[in-house]
Amino acid sequence: MNVFTVQEEINKAISTLENGGLIIYPTDTVWGIGCDATNEEAVAKVYALKERSDSKALICLVANDAMLERHITEVPDVAYDLIDLSTKPTTIIYDKPKGVAPNLIANDNTLAIRVASDKFCQYLINKFKKPIVSTSANISGEPTPKQFSEINEAVIKGVDYVVNLHQEKIASTPSVIIKLSNDGQVKVIRE
């Protein structure tokens, strides 16, 4: 796969995201449905496509610590240790998010964010300059697809662009999810 092709795919994905569209893309865990995490209408489209209640919050990806800090009021110090020391992708639920679509924020004013470890995701998000929603590419309640070929045709037809990279890749498992409260509490939600 040459760099030009990767660049083309990133440009097409960004164009779709900027226009409020949905993409299917390879993440550092499983194939994801993504959209601009700051666009309320785009986030609503993800919930509709997944046939999922918007009371079940979605994860979003950021490219680096600086982007994380722009969207969380106060990042607990322990979060940096968890991110740096994790041996597999780790999503952290933070208190008091800011600058994202209101329908992305959970009822308890928290947001699940992962600093992407995958080079493609980092590059895509850096170039887009905003967080991107990342939720498994399936209808709510169906099994998470382990590879691109297992994604439900209705999901593929329901997005505006499918990234044409790494479609042969066998997915790893979903990320670990840890809830960090500003009062110092740490709770493992998914291992």
Side-chain angles (χ1 to χ4, degrees):
M1 181 79 37
N2 64 37
V3 175
F4 185 65
T5 306
V6 172
Q7 190 61 54
E8 280 180 354
E9 289 302 316
I10 284 175
N11 290 343
K12 288 175 185 171
I14 287 173
S15 175
T16 302
L17 294 168
E18 286 174 344
N19 289 307
L22 306 186
I23 63 171
I24 290 179
Y25 66 115
T27 74
D28 48 354
T29 57
V30 299
W31 275 86
I33 299 170
C35 72
D36 176 351
T38 68
N39 182 324
E40 191 170 358
E41 287 179 19
V43 171
K45 289 187 212 172
V46 173
Y47 284 119
L49 177 59
K50 285 187 67 79
E51 299 175 16
R52 181 174 178 171
S53 157
D54 65 7
S55 64
K56 292 187 94 181
L58 301 171
I59 292 171
C60 72
L61 297 181
V62 294
N64 49 45
D65 291 350
M67 189 178 283
L68 170 67
E69 291 161 3
R70 282 197 298 273
H71 294 283
I72 297 299
T73 303
E74 181 187 341
V75 179
D77 289 340
V78 69
Y80 299 107
D81 294 334
L82 288 169
I83 293 165
D84 292 342
L85 300 172
S86 293
T87 56
K88 56 186 180 177
T90 301
T91 300
I92 299 175
I93 301 172
Y94 297 94
D95 289 337
K96 299 183 186 162
K98 60 184 181 180
V100 295
N103 54 347
L104 195 57
I105 300 170
N107 294 337
D108 62 353
N109 197 27
T110 61
L111 178 63
I113 297 182
R114 185 167 70 251
V115 177
S117 56
D118 174 84
K119 295 292 179 218
F120 170 78
C121 285
Q122 287 175 339
Y123 192 57
L124 174 67
I125 298 163
N126 259 328
K127 194 153 186 214
F128 185 53
K129 296 182 175 60
K130 292 190 253 181
I132 297 176
V133 165
S134 177
T135 182
S136 56
N138 62 326
I139 305 293
S140 195
E142 290 184 0
T144 299
K146 296 280 184 232
Q147 55 197 34
F148 181 81
S149 62
E150 294 176 9
I151 298 173
N152 183 319
E153 194 62 33
V155 173
I156 292 172
K157 285 188 164 92
V159 301
D160 302 290
Y161 188 69
V162 176
V163 173
N164 295 301
L165 296 173
H166 310 300
Q167 291 186 355
E168 70 295 334
K169 173 182 145 187
I170 304 295
S172 59
T173 55
S175 67
V176 170
I177 299 179
I178 297 172
K179 185 174 185 4
L180 283 186
S181 300
N182 285 346
D183 63 8
Q185 290 187 338
V186 178
K187 182 179 180 186
V188 176
I189 306 292
R190 180 173 71 195
E191 287 187 57

